[in-house]
Amino acid sequence: MKQEFIQKAFDIAVARYAAVGVDVENALTRLQELSISLHCWQADDVTGFERPDGTLSGGIQATGNYPGKARNLEELRADIVKAKSLLPGTHRLSLHEIYGDFGGKFVDRDQVEPAHFAGWIAWAKENNLKLDFNSTSFSHPKSGDLTLANPDKAIRDFWIEHTKRCRAISEAMGKAQGDPCIMNLWVHDGSKDTTVNRLYYRQLLKESLDEIFATPYQHMRDCIEAKLFGIGLESYTVGSYDFYLGYGVRNQKIVTLDTGHFHLTESVADKIPALLLFIPEIMLHVSRPIRWDSDHVTIMNDDTLDLAKEIVRADALDRVHVGLDYFDASINRIGAYVIGARATQKCFLQALLEPLARLRAYEAHGQYFERLALLEEAKGLPWNAVWDMFCMRNNVPVGEDFIADIQQYEKEVTSKRG
Ligand code: RNT
Ligand code: ZN
């Protein structure tokens, strides 16, 4: 019954889109190829497995205490498998260094090796997931306010060694999976109050990065993530957007745009068609800032839609890596993955269904009323019927049906966690 309605609605949608010059099947093919890199840290509120009772530091914070967070590697893997089973398409998993398989032993950050991720590599292969990676500057006794930009050479060297090792781990992952592992570098370095050494710390960060990136690799790609400010580090961020944009352009590194890391009225979408002219690729951390970098679950809102549209309008799907980055501890965490990933996919689908050729023809002819009218009408075209078909073809729950799956998993699995 339901299947029949989905088919009917889809057929009508195909006709409606054809009328404005859009090929729905082509959009579906392209959506199928779009992988979302799921951030492992939503499953356990960015705790990781380094220390049994690790506390989150580094200017970020997960709020809420919804029961059932993943307490160990097995639980986290099970949660990822569950989340992924409710997503159409083939996706990736982004790991942080603190999620290594340390076998119950303490492995300090300057000692970590590819061997600590061999289990993840094997598991990812079994589960048809490609891995991405992140070095971890936070939640460590040596984290403080400054890591790679610390004037104390011993501390700086510790973090340089850590990050170099993370690149070697990423290289091993990329090699094993036959697809580049995207390694994100974000450090929280900053200052709570006014500093009189803004240039000095940035000089140190630049030098540390130069040292870290000195080793060339084939199977991994580096990306660098800026931020406006962290909690407790409000006055100054060493790795500001200007800093990393400059560094990325000069050194041809991937720049990560976290949608929560800008002034709230700043358009992240508009950065896409600027950056693409100067850097090889872009990495996204799709998030949802509420008043600040609050890392709420991504939803289908104008910010995310605009972002997807600018990528598709620039024909840059092959130059943009899409990852999620939020950590909401106040609701079912698996549900949080599924909502955010599906919302991101829905935004890209709508972008792919935009009647771009017609809109551009209007614009070329100075027909701005027609352009605005079609932009408005396109918002109401039946993209959701196409989305439902996408889910059906991918054998995942259609519409809100995934709610029941998550409720069942909660009943049987996560609610039993102490
Ligand atoms: C923090 C950055 C960073 C982290 C993750 C955990 O503001 O967004 O990407 O969220 O590395
Ligand atoms: Zn981020």
Side-chain angles (χ1 to χ4, degrees), residues 49-93:
F49 314 130
E50 187 182 66
R51 286 160 218 267
D53 345 276
T55 41
L56 187 55
S57 81
I60 52 177
Q61 198 171 38
T63 54
N65 54 2
Y66 198 82
K69 85 172 198 177
R71 297 165 300 181
N72 52 49
L73 197 129
E74 290 68 35
E75 290 179 353
L76 190 130
R77 284 181 183 166
D79 291 356
I80 298 292
V81 168
K82 185 70 208 174
K84 150 179 133 70
S85 76
L86 301 171
L87 302 178
T90 313
H91 301 290
R92 304 174 69 94
L93 178 66

Side-chain angles (χ1 to χ4, degrees), residues 39-56 68-80 93-109 112 115-121 123 131 133-134 136 138-140 162 173 333 337 417:
H39 53 316
C40 74
W41 51 95
Q42 163 61 46
D44 74 337
D45 315 338
V46 215
T47 309
F49 314 130
E50 187 182 66
R51 286 160 218 267
D53 345 276
T55 41
L56 187 55
K69 85 172 198 177
R71 297 165 300 181
N72 52 49
L73 197 129
E74 290 68 35
E75 290 179 353
L76 190 130
R77 284 181 183 166
D79 291 356
I80 298 292
L93 178 66
S94 185
L95 290 173
H96 245 284
E97 185 272 347
I98 48 173
Y99 290 80
D101 189 353
F102 303 123
K105 275 183 295 190
F106 174 69
V107 176
D108 211 348
R109 307 248 177 121
V112 68
H116 299 117
F117 290 87
W120 274 113
I121 292 173
W123 175 86
L131 296 173
F133 201 56
N134 302 259
T136 314
F138 49 83
S139 309
H140 185 278
H162 166 71
M173 287 176 172
R333 293 172 184 78
Y337 275 123
R417 293 174 187 166

Side-chain angles (χ1 to χ4, degrees), residues 41 46 60 96 138 184 186 225 227 258 261 285 293 325 327:
W41 51 95
V46 215
I60 52 177
H96 245 284
F138 49 83
N184 190 53
W186 168 72
E225 180 182 8
K227 173 161 180 162
D258 183 309
H261 289 190
H285 274 186
D293 179 28
D325 183 13
F327 17 102

Side-chain angles (χ1 to χ4, degrees), residues 102-170:
F102 303 123
K105 275 183 295 190
F106 174 69
V107 176
D108 211 348
R109 307 248 177 121
D110 63 342
Q111 299 298 318
V112 68
E113 289 175 6
H116 299 117
F117 290 87
W120 274 113
I121 292 173
W123 175 86
K125 194 171 182 192
E126 276 162 36
N127 289 281
N128 193 28
L129 281 164
K130 300 257 168 22
L131 296 173
D132 294 320
F133 201 56
N134 302 259
S135 50
T136 314
S137 70
F138 49 83
S139 309
H140 185 278
K142 290 194 170 82
S143 293
D145 289 351
L146 297 165
T147 61
L148 290 176
N150 202 308
D152 181 337
K153 191 171 182 307
I155 295 197
R156 205 162 69 239
D157 284 346
F158 174 86
W159 291 109
I160 290 173
E161 179 63 25
H162 166 71
T163 319
K164 281 184 173 174
R165 284 169 176 259
C166 286
R167 291 183 78 232
I169 292 164
S170 302

Side-chain angles (χ1 to χ4, degrees), residues 247-291:
Y247 195 92
V249 171
R250 170 174 277 190
N251 300 287
Q252 290 301 293
K253 293 291 177 193
I254 302 175
V255 170
T256 301
L257 296 177
D258 183 309
T259 58
H261 289 190
F262 298 90
H263 291 284
L264 290 175
T265 53
E266 197 172 347
S267 165
V268 182
D270 190 40
K271 295 178 190 303
I272 302 283
L275 264 60
L276 284 171
L277 297 172
F278 303 105
I279 53 170
E281 293 175 350
I282 293 169
M283 172 79 204
L284 295 179
H285 274 186
V286 189
S287 185
R288 178 167 50 116
I290 302 284
R291 305 192 186 281

Side-chain angles (χ1 to χ4, degrees), residues 7-23:
Q7 184 66 52
K8 270 189 193 160
F10 178 71
D11 292 341
I12 294 166
V14 168
R16 288 294 305 274
Y17 277 105
V20 288
V22 174
D23 179 347

